Amino acid sequence: MLENLIVDPEFEEKIPRLSEEEFQLLEQLILEEGRIKDPIATWNGIIVDGHNRYRIMLKHPEIQIPFDIYEKDFPDRFAAIAWICRNQLGRRNLTPENRKYLIGKQYEAEKASLGGDHGNGRDENGRFVPGYQNGNLGSDENSRTCDRIAQENNMGRTTVIRAEQFAKGVDA
């Protein structure tokens, strides 16, 4: 079962790394408990939550640490990335920069999943122009992506838009 799990670098990079001390504490707790309490969430066998727990299991193959898998269902990669970001936003160990980055990546992924702006385009002269999604996606009030994400995170819609630009800058 362990060998069937897949680590996707794009998914893993959305999750802020634990410090060495945090990783060692998690490892110690898992070894003391003799099992992993929280299931590893996957989508089509790809880990979407539980990368650190998975690394600990790989580090200790002689123990064969028991664990559960929770298979999630997403329509596409963008929806999986948006879920990863939302899930991480519910954690306590985020710096303000981590939080802003995740909100930006969630917005970017949800826009892409809904067919929104995917980046730069060209003007009538063939020159690159920055693509910028400043509007809402979705057909009714409840699915307006930017406003919904802003409401979920207790911030204004322009803060969500700036968070997306921040995330793009970090990625660049």
Side-chain angles (χ1 to χ4, degrees), residues 14-129:
K14 302 298 181 261
I15 300 167
R17 285 237 180 246
L18 295 178
S19 69
E20 186 60 37
E21 181 181 342
E22 290 168 327
F23 184 82
Q24 287 174 354
L25 284 171
L26 178 61
E27 181 178 24
Q28 181 182 350
L29 285 171
I30 288 172
L31 294 175
E32 285 174 4
E33 299 254 340
R35 71 169 286 107
I36 294 180
K37 294 186 296 184
D38 296 322
I40 294 180
T42 61
W43 171 61
N44 297 329
I46 303 170
I47 299 172
V48 293
D49 184 53
H51 291 88
N52 291 307
R53 288 169 269 153
Y54 178 70
R55 285 191 306 155
I56 291 168
M57 287 189 296
L58 291 178
K59 189 175 173 182
H60 299 281
E62 73 284 355
I63 299 176
Q64 295 183 358
I65 302 167
F67 68 99
D68 294 317
I69 292 177
Y70 175 62
E71 181 70 19
K72 300 284 294 170
D73 184 32
F74 301 111
D76 55 37
R77 288 182 65 81
F78 299 117
I81 290 169
W83 181 87
I84 290 167
C85 294
R86 280 193 315 273
N87 187 51
Q88 288 301 307
L89 285 166
R91 306 256 162 98
R92 288 184 239 167
N93 62 337
L94 296 176
T95 66
E97 290 79 16
N98 290 147
R99 184 172 166 71
K100 186 188 304 184
Y101 177 81
L102 288 169
I103 290 168
K105 296 309 283 186
Q106 176 187 354
Y107 181 46
E108 181 181 66
E110 288 191 26
K111 284 192 324 183
S113 182
L114 294 170
D117 184 19
H118 290 249
N120 293 335
R122 294 181 185 262
D123 65 13
E124 62 278 352
N125 298 319
R127 293 180 299 221
F128 282 106
V129 294

